[in-house]
Amino acid sequence: MTPAVEADRLTHRYGRQEAVSELSFQVPESSIYAFLGPNGAGKTTTIKILMNLLRPSGGHAAVLGIPSSRLGPEGLQNIGYVSENQKLPESMTLDQLAAFCAPLYPKWDDSLCSTLVQRFDLPRRQKISSFSRGMKMKTAVVMSLAYRPRLLILDEPFSGLDPVVRDEIIEGMLEIAGRGEWSVLVSSHDLSEVENLADHVGFIRQGRMVVSEPLESLQRRFREVEVTLAQPCPQPQPWPAAWLRARISERVVRFVDSEYDEARTAERVHQLFDDAEAVASPMSLREIFVALAREERHGGTDA
């Protein structure tokens, strides 16, 4: 099965500044892939390369099996795009905008458009200039889905939206995505926005991919572990490589195990400490990426 998006060692430089560096990842077909990272990490540059708005300095990418550098009008008809800076013709009503867009897309679906408008509770005959920011973002989503694209790319779509509007958009997208008709690449710096939306995640920092894998496997292999010791013990040297942010305080050792396995983790703990009791707790997506970001920033464990 051909991935919806495939990037292979993508690199892009603005002068001497390297915005994207050797970036590789895949968005599986019919998946919702969260492309995560702090502001300035290189997410928007990557998306512009995918959409053939920028040429990479190195590497290559393909979207829906087409090299990004060859994407033209025909290929773009299968891609929906929504960004935080989306511009809409504000002198139009929603119905007028839909009537304008429909002839441009052979697969335009009036029924789906009406379903989405109703789902998002949007006024059809009111000028877009009177819409709130949340209503405008919903309108952009409707116009990007009504022609049934095979891929939807969302670049920071929830930025500045209140939680109620954000949740309405996510729920509406999940409802449509449940039919398995299309793939989604959603870029965001706010992990809480996409945790309940995505089934695959990639985390980019300073233009480099830190991790890219199914959300289920990521959350299965990361655990926050607290070890209680029978007596004070000096810090062992070295810590296991999979233990992130490992630190010891009196009779308590805390770390994030990035390769958690109940039996293997317990064995490692008992090899390092006598009479120790370990308790492992699941981690949210945000907690996992905070641990990864801090580990990369500090380049090792905490003293």
Side-chain angles (χ1 to χ4, degrees):
M1 185 178 293
T2 303
V5 174
E6 185 172 19
D8 181 23
R9 295 173 292 175
L10 277 186
T11 298
H12 187 78
R13 300 180 186 88
Y14 295 101
R16 295 183 179 181
Q17 181 181 359
E18 195 168 66
V20 176
S21 179
E22 298 275 323
L23 193 67
S24 298
F25 68 98
Q26 291 185 350
V27 176
E29 189 174 349
S30 300
S31 70
I32 301 180
Y33 186 102
F35 189 45
L36 307 172
N39 287 329
K43 303 187 299 297
T44 296
T45 296
T46 301
I47 287 174
K48 286 181 176 180
I49 293 173
L50 296 177
M51 296 290 290
N52 197 20
L53 299 174
L54 283 177
R55 292 297 176 95
S57 305
H60 65 272
V63 177
L64 301 177
I66 303 171
S68 292
S69 60
R70 298 180 186 173
L71 269 181
E74 185 176 349
L76 292 171
Q77 286 182 351
N78 289 310
I79 303 171
Y81 175 72
V82 179
S83 76
E84 64 176 324
N85 298 316
Q86 195 90 8
K87 300 295 183 182
L88 298 172
E90 300 199 348
S91 62
M92 288 185 174
T93 66
L94 191 150
D95 273 352
Q96 289 171 337
L97 179 58
F100 174 81
C101 291
L104 304 176
Y105 298 97
K107 295 190 296 180
W108 184 273
D109 188 331
D110 283 324
S111 177
L112 177 57
C113 182
S114 295
T115 297
L116 290 167
V117 169
Q118 184 176 5
R119 178 69 177 78
F120 290 145
D121 194 24
L122 290 168
R124 306 186 69 113
R125 297 175 178 84
Q126 186 175 319
K127 285 193 173 183
I128 294 172
S129 60
S130 66
F131 285 10
S132 66
R133 173 171 169 73
M135 292 166 65
K136 289 177 181 177
M137 189 58 65
K138 290 178 183 179
T139 300
V141 171
V142 171
M143 295 302 135
S144 295
L145 289 179
Y147 55 91
R148 294 190 177 276
R150 291 173 55 196
L151 172 67
L152 178 64
I153 295 179
L154 305 171
D155 190 6
E156 299 285 359
F158 311 119
S159 180
L161 299 183
D162 69 61
V164 174
V165 173
R166 179 196 65 199
D167 290 347
E168 287 175 352
I169 293 176
I170 289 175
E171 288 169 9
M173 289 174 54
L174 283 174
E175 183 179 309
I176 303 298
R179 303 171 189 173
E181 298 174 352
W182 43 285
S183 311
V184 181
L185 171 65
V186 53
S187 164
S188 180
H189 66 274
D190 191 331
L191 304 176
S192 63
E193 291 175 344
V194 298
E195 184 158 12
N196 296 324
L197 178 64
D199 49 43
H200 285 68
V201 293
F203 183 67
I204 181 176
R205 182 175 179 82
Q206 296 180 341
R208 297 179 180 273
M209 187 65 76
V210 178
V211 65
S212 178
E213 66 184 276
L215 177 60
E216 181 181 5
S217 72
L218 183 70
Q219 292 185 315
R220 184 172 58 245
R221 72 181 179 89
F222 272 79
R223 288 291 188 275
E224 192 165 33
V225 181
E226 181 173 290
V227 180
T228 303
L229 308 176
Q231 57 185 3
C233 180
Q235 177 171 302
Q237 295 291 338
W239 296 103
W243 291 10
L244 311 182
R245 301 178 58 204
R247 56 209 183 277
I248 189 168
S249 176
E250 294 294 328
R251 298 183 182 183
V252 177
V253 178
R254 295 183 179 88
F255 59 89
V256 172
D257 192 343
S258 61
E259 298 293 343
Y260 178 77
D261 173 88
E262 184 175 4
R264 184 171 61 244
T265 299
E267 181 181 358
R268 287 177 177 174
V269 167
H270 290 300
Q271 286 174 347
L272 292 170
F273 308 105
D274 295 326
D275 298 324
E277 181 179 349
V279 177
S281 304
M283 300 177 68
S284 68
L285 184 59
R286 182 181 185 281
E287 290 170 333
I288 291 171
F289 284 126
V290 166
L292 285 169
R294 287 181 175 173
E295 182 72 9
E296 183 170 318
R297 184 181 305 140
H298 296 301
T301 55
D302 297 334

